[in-house]
Amino acid sequence: MAGEDANRFESVQQVREGLKDVNYLADDGIAGVAFLADRLGKPVLVEGPAGTGKTQLAKSISEMTGARLIRLQCYEGLDESRALYEWNYKKQLLRIQADKSSDSWTEVHDDIFSDEFLLTRPLLEAISADDPVVLLIDEVDRVEVETEALLLEILSDYQVSIPELGTIEAKQIPLVFLTSNNTRELSEALKRRCLYLHVDYPTMEREKEIVLTKVPDVTEHLADQVSRIVRSIRMLDLKKAPSVSETLDWTRTLLLLNIETIDEQTAKETLHILLKYQTDIAKATKELSVDDA
């Protein structure tokens, strides 16, 4: 097992300020979990609705610390050969053909099952890295239970066992973030191994601050209007509520149209930037007619 590394973060406040420097506006809850993940050497399971900045948190921690980001994008059917490692069979076959005159199969076997023929995938790459790493395991709820068990084994011991090579131990413990959109229930074993963080849609005040930070030239008045309207739309029974990134897209759209104040007509005409289902657009249109923007 890897030895203890120097702490990445001095305090919760330092995490929050560091994230703000890379334009990620974290509250004390988010900053606190990131701080504890570093001190305890534990992965963080980040759950919440799509579009609330779960993936961006890992990217911003990577940018803030200067650590290399290694991302494993999860999907149904993801297996060990795509997540962990596989052997370069074509290269092995070429070596076997080149060594076919050799009398010793053991010698050939040891040669072709060496580091030279190993294709590292994100998990093994993060474990074996010499440099500081942030490992992002994105949308972990999309993988099958068997693959989740593989993740659990690696994240419990920070080591990988390769039958032909032996056990590869982590040279340093990476900061690990797993994101989930709650499309299925994760195992209790995985949840126990992780620190838990729920990232919800920001408060109206925080979303306004995000808009002011991320969108150059936006006025305080427009940012205030945008955050208020988006909050009222999210309160509707929608198929998919607008994400923070869609809030930012809407704000940029309004600026491109030279809109300084949002009226009912402008809001209705640009709802397709915020909402991606016709039923949701219809509901929001009705809401805007009742409660004039």
Side-chain angles (χ1 to χ4, degrees), residues 54-187:
K54 302 185 297 297
T55 298
Q56 188 57 48
L57 173 60
K59 291 179 177 179
S60 297
I61 290 283
S62 167
E63 185 181 353
M64 168 193 169
T65 59
R68 179 161 57 105
L69 180 72
I70 297 176
R71 180 175 182 171
L72 173 63
Q73 179 61 54
C74 297
Y75 55 87
E76 190 176 343
L78 179 70
D79 60 10
E80 188 173 291
S81 68
R82 292 296 165 195
L84 193 51
Y85 73 91
E86 66 177 330
W87 293 104
N88 189 333
Y89 300 116
K90 290 181 180 178
K91 195 173 179 182
Q92 285 176 323
L93 184 58
L94 288 172
R95 179 58 63 87
I96 291 170
Q97 290 173 338
D99 292 346
K100 59 186 176 183
S101 59
S102 174
D103 294 330
S104 172
W105 164 245
T106 302
E107 188 178 310
V108 175
H109 177 278
D110 291 346
D111 186 21
I112 64 173
F113 288 107
S114 61
D115 287 344
E116 181 187 349
F117 297 89
L118 190 67
L119 298 173
T120 59
R121 302 307 185 199
L123 295 179
L124 180 57
E125 189 179 344
I127 289 294
S128 58
D130 291 307
D131 54 325
V133 161
V134 171
L135 174 61
L136 168 61
I137 303 174
D138 217 2
E139 299 186 302
V140 67
D141 49 323
R142 292 185 179 275
V143 301
E144 286 83 358
V145 175
E146 295 78 13
T147 307
E148 188 182 315
L150 169 70
L151 294 175
L152 183 64
E153 180 184 351
I154 293 164
L155 297 177
S156 294
D157 301 322
Y158 292 105
Q159 64 182 33
V160 173
S161 295
I162 301 176
E164 299 86 353
L165 289 180
T167 300
I168 299 176
E169 296 185 347
K171 296 171 184 175
Q172 40 92 33
I173 297 175
L175 271 177
V176 183
F177 293 87
L178 303 92
T179 73
S180 168
N181 293 329
N182 294 317
T183 59
R184 74 167 177 86
E185 189 69 27
L186 299 173
S187 71

Side-chain angles (χ1 to χ4, degrees), residues 148 185-193:
E148 188 182 315
E185 189 69 27
L186 299 173
S187 71
E188 290 298 321
L190 183 65
K191 287 188 172 183
R192 276 198 307 273
R193 181 67 190 88

Side-chain angles (χ1 to χ4, degrees), residues 36-55:
L36 289 173
D38 173 42
R39 292 300 173 96
L40 299 175
K42 280 182 168 286
V44 180
L45 173 60
V46 191
E47 289 191 334
T52 51
K54 302 185 297 297
T55 298

Side-chain angles (χ1 to χ4, degrees), residues 258-269:
N258 296 315
I259 303 297
E260 296 178 2
T261 297
I262 307 169
D263 58 24
E264 180 183 341
Q265 190 63 28
T266 300
K268 288 179 179 179
E269 288 174 354

